[in-house]
Amino acid sequence: MSDGDAAERDDERSAGDDSVTERDASDAAPASDVSDAADSEAGDVAGDDGTSDGDVSAETDDLDVAEELLEHVESSDPEAIADEIASLRFEVEALEAERDDYEEEVESLRSRLKRKQADFENYKKRMQKRREEEKARATEDLVTRLLDVRDNLKRALEQDEDADIRDGIETTLKQFDRVLEDENVESIEPERGDEVDPERHEVLVRMDSDQPEGTIADVHRPGYEMGGKVIRTAQVAVSDGDE
């Protein structure tokens, strides 16, 4: 082979190599297109199995924890692992026992609360009954003392028609007043010329009188108060001051 033939063959081989390189370059996709396709494919894979990035991350964390635990078990002494398991089991049993104690204490407190509520209700009933009994006894005592007054009035009326019963009636009236006084009852008997008190006096009529206008001219019926409380107002007549 002559030098001219060899040079011509080298030129043909070089031209062929250049043609192959250009063809390979035209067939290859741009780098950006490849990257986008990879991202799209990854997104399709994630969407196909129904998992989100958060789910994948959580699963990855669980796997990491499991792997760490497995590595810890494999790298630890079996006796140490057994001791650790026993310790954890003992701690769990202690916590469960503590929980049971708390539940028993709560139940005991609930039971005590129910008993206290029942005791309080019974106490209120006893106090109500006691007040009613005390009220009944107080009324009974008052009626018993008034019976003596009634007996004296009846004896006065049973005397002869010609007998002077005034002294007996006055004595009976004093006895009756003592009974009222013992019950903390006081009479309301305003004087003529006193100012009218709407809380203690009931005005029945207005009349001509020598008393100043608007003042009490006469008392028709006395009133009474018990323990500072008016139980019956006094009936009075008020002066017009025109007499």
Side-chain angles (χ1 to χ4, degrees), residues 207-227:
M207 58 182 293
D208 295 337
S209 171
D210 58 352
Q211 299 299 321
E213 183 179 358
T215 61
I216 295 176
D218 194 12
V219 178
H220 292 277
R221 186 193 70 181
Y224 293 93
E225 61 180 353
M226 183 175 182

Side-chain angles (χ1 to χ4, degrees), residues 3 13 20 24 37 54 81 116 124-125 129 132 158 200 205 209 231:
D3 292 338
R13 185 182 297 110
V20 170
D24 293 342
I81 294 297
K116 290 295 183 182
K124 290 197 300 183
K125 292 178 181 179
K129 184 178 180 180
E132 292 175 355
E158 289 174 352
R200 299 162 59 85
V205 65
S209 171
I231 58 178

Side-chain angles (χ1 to χ4, degrees), residues 14-151:
S14 176
D17 293 340
D18 291 341
S19 176
V20 170
T21 301
E22 291 177 358
R23 185 170 57 254
D24 293 342
S26 63
D27 292 340
S32 59
D33 294 341
V34 173
S35 176
D36 293 341
D39 292 341
S40 176
E41 182 178 357
D44 293 341
V45 171
D48 291 342
D49 61 7
T51 57
S52 63
D53 293 340
D55 295 336
V56 172
S57 176
E59 292 178 358
T60 303
D61 292 340
D62 292 340
L63 290 175
D64 292 340
V65 172
E67 290 177 357
E68 291 178 1
L69 181 59
L70 181 60
E71 292 176 0
H72 173 69
V73 172
E74 291 177 346
S75 62
S76 300
D77 182 66
E79 293 184 0
I81 294 297
D83 292 340
E84 185 175 353
I85 292 175
S87 176
L88 291 174
R89 182 179 291 112
F90 177 79
E91 184 176 352
V92 169
E93 292 176 353
L95 291 174
E96 290 177 347
E98 185 176 358
R99 180 202 60 193
D100 294 339
D101 292 340
Y102 282 140
E103 290 178 352
E104 291 179 2
E105 184 177 359
V106 170
E107 186 62 29
S108 176
L109 290 174
R110 287 176 178 172
S111 178
R112 290 172 56 189
L113 177 61
K114 290 180 179 179
R115 289 197 299 270
K116 290 295 183 182
Q117 290 175 336
D119 292 342
F120 182 66
E121 291 297 326
N122 292 333
Y123 169 78
K124 290 197 300 183
K125 292 178 181 179
R126 289 196 303 270
M127 292 302 297
Q128 179 65 25
K129 184 178 180 180
R130 182 178 301 175
R131 284 193 293 267
E132 292 175 355
E133 291 175 349
E134 290 176 351
K135 182 179 179 181
R137 286 197 298 269
T139 304
E140 179 182 349
D141 180 66
L142 175 61
V143 171
T144 300
R145 285 179 287 156
L146 291 177
L147 290 177
D148 293 336
V149 178
R150 183 181 185 281
D151 292 341

